[in-house]
């Protein structure tokens, strides 16, 4: 799993990062809300860990903006306050869970894994993009109410992009999540070939390339 930690306490960031890496998690860190938002929008993450007190852009604004921009990545708040009034406010603005400071690292791992599982089960199953309707449950794609023929991997690739709509996904992540593997040759060819084929079938403008970040469906 790939985690984004947005926390301004550098000692805590160091400790969390080292522990998560020991547990085989990938982790990216930022120390303020502005760079945290950019990372959250431009890279794929399974879970975002967000501190309640942040410089640059406050946690409330950051969480609201991410949700308004269709980013559905689970968000776990870290806070020294855990009154029921606060918890209700966090959940109402789009938080998925919270953890009070100080906390046990094993509990942090458990919360992350729980949110990761919830993220998989709560993925959108039907979505409309222009004249295209994608049903991820039935594995059916229609354009102007006519069924389209997609290969298994073409559908899997489209489904992953749709389920992470508005988030650019780079080739390596697509290979790991869709193909379940990664090597230099596949990195250079497989994703690009499948994207090209999908574009021909879906029409131009559905799958966009965000230079330096990857492919995205908006």
């Amino acid at each position: 799993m790939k985690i984004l930690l947005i926390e301004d306490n550098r000692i805590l960031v160091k400790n969390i990062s080292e522990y998560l890496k020991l547990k085989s998690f990938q982790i990216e860190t930022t120390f303020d809300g502005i760079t945290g938002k950019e990372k959250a929008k431009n890279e794929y993450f399974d879970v975002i860990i967000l501190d309640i007190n942040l410089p640059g852009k406050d946690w409330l604004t950051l969480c609201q903006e991410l949700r308004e921009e269709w980013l559905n990545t689970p968000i776990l708040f870290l806070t020294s306050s855990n009154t029921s009034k606060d918890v209700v406010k966090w959940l109402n603005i789009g938080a998925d869970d919270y953890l009070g400071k100080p906390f046990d690292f094993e509990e942090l791992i458990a919360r992350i894994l729980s949110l990761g599982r919830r993220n998989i089960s709560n993925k959108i199953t039907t979505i409309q993009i222009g004249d295209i309707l994608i049903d991820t449950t039935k594995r059916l794609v229609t354009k102007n109410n006519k069924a389209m023929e997609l290969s298994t991997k073409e559908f899997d690739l489209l489904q992953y992009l749709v389920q992470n709509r508005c988030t650019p996904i780079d080739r390596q992540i697509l290979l790991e999540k869709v193909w379940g593997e990664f090597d230099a040759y596949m990195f250079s060819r497989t994703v690009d070939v499948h994207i090209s084929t999908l574009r021909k079938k879906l029409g131009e403008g559905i799958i966009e390339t965000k230079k330096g970040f990857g492919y995205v469906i908006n």
Side-chain angles (χ1 to χ4, degrees):
M1 295 180 68
K2 187 175 181 181
I3 310 300
L4 173 61
L5 172 61
I6 310 174
E7 163 68 68
D8 63 334
N9 184 324
R10 293 176 182 263
I11 295 176
L12 183 57
V13 167
K14 181 177 181 293
N15 291 338
I16 292 176
S17 298
E18 290 178 350
Y19 191 81
L20 291 182
K21 288 175 182 177
L22 283 174
K23 297 295 183 177
S24 300
F25 287 85
Q26 298 179 55
I27 182 163
E28 297 284 337
T29 62
T30 66
F31 303 100
D32 65 84
I34 295 175
T35 54
K37 180 183 176 181
E38 289 306 304
K39 266 194 172 293
K41 287 177 57 181
N42 294 321
E43 297 182 41
Y44 172 79
F45 296 97
D46 294 288
V47 174
I48 296 171
I49 302 173
L50 175 62
D51 183 51
I52 208 77
N53 295 305
L54 289 172
K57 185 185 291 288
D58 68 88
W59 63 275
L60 177 61
T61 301
L62 175 57
C63 187
Q64 288 176 324
E65 289 179 354
L66 291 178
R67 292 309 187 221
E68 288 169 0
E69 294 179 27
W70 292 89
L71 190 76
N72 60 2
T73 307
I75 296 176
L76 170 66
F77 275 113
L78 300 181
T79 176
S80 55
S81 172
N82 60 358
T83 66
S84 59
K85 183 178 179 180
D86 287 334
V87 171
V88 170
K89 178 168 65 175
W90 303 331
L91 296 177
N92 283 339
I93 65 167
D96 297 275
D97 201 355
Y98 77 97
L99 191 57
K101 297 179 180 179
F103 52 83
D104 182 85
F105 282 176
E106 284 299 323
E107 183 178 2
L108 174 63
I109 295 290
R111 299 293 183 100
I112 290 172
L113 293 175
S114 175
L115 288 176
R117 290 191 294 270
R118 190 185 310 173
N119 193 30
I120 293 172
S121 64
N122 287 341
K123 292 295 186 182
I124 296 170
T125 58
T126 304
I127 191 166
Q128 183 88 33
I129 304 173
D131 57 3
I132 295 172
L133 181 66
I134 303 162
D135 188 323
T136 60
T137 300
K138 297 179 180 178
R139 294 182 65 85
L140 176 67
V141 180
T142 58
K143 185 172 184 178
N144 292 322
N145 297 318
K146 294 181 179 179
M148 303 177 62
E149 292 187 10
L150 299 182
S151 70
T152 298
K153 283 304 178 188
E154 286 169 356
F155 185 89
D156 290 344
L157 178 58
L158 177 61
Q159 174 177 303
Y160 193 79
L161 290 171
V162 167
Q163 289 179 331
N164 293 279
R165 196 173 181 182
C166 299
T167 302
I169 312 293
D170 67 28
R171 292 177 180 86
Q172 180 174 346
I173 294 296
L174 289 172
L175 283 169
E176 292 173 351
K177 298 296 184 178
V178 177
W179 279 266
E181 56 186 309
F182 172 76
D183 62 47
Y185 176 74
M186 288 184 69
F187 180 77
S188 64
R189 297 294 302 155
T190 301
V191 173
D192 292 343
V193 169
H194 280 76
I195 290 289
S196 177
T197 303
L198 273 175
R199 280 174 168 162
K200 290 177 183 177
K201 293 181 178 181
L202 300 173
E204 293 297 322
I206 301 299
I207 302 175
E208 300 179 11
T209 301
K210 188 162 186 179
K211 191 174 181 180
F213 296 102
Y215 296 109
V216 62
I217 291 178
N218 291 309

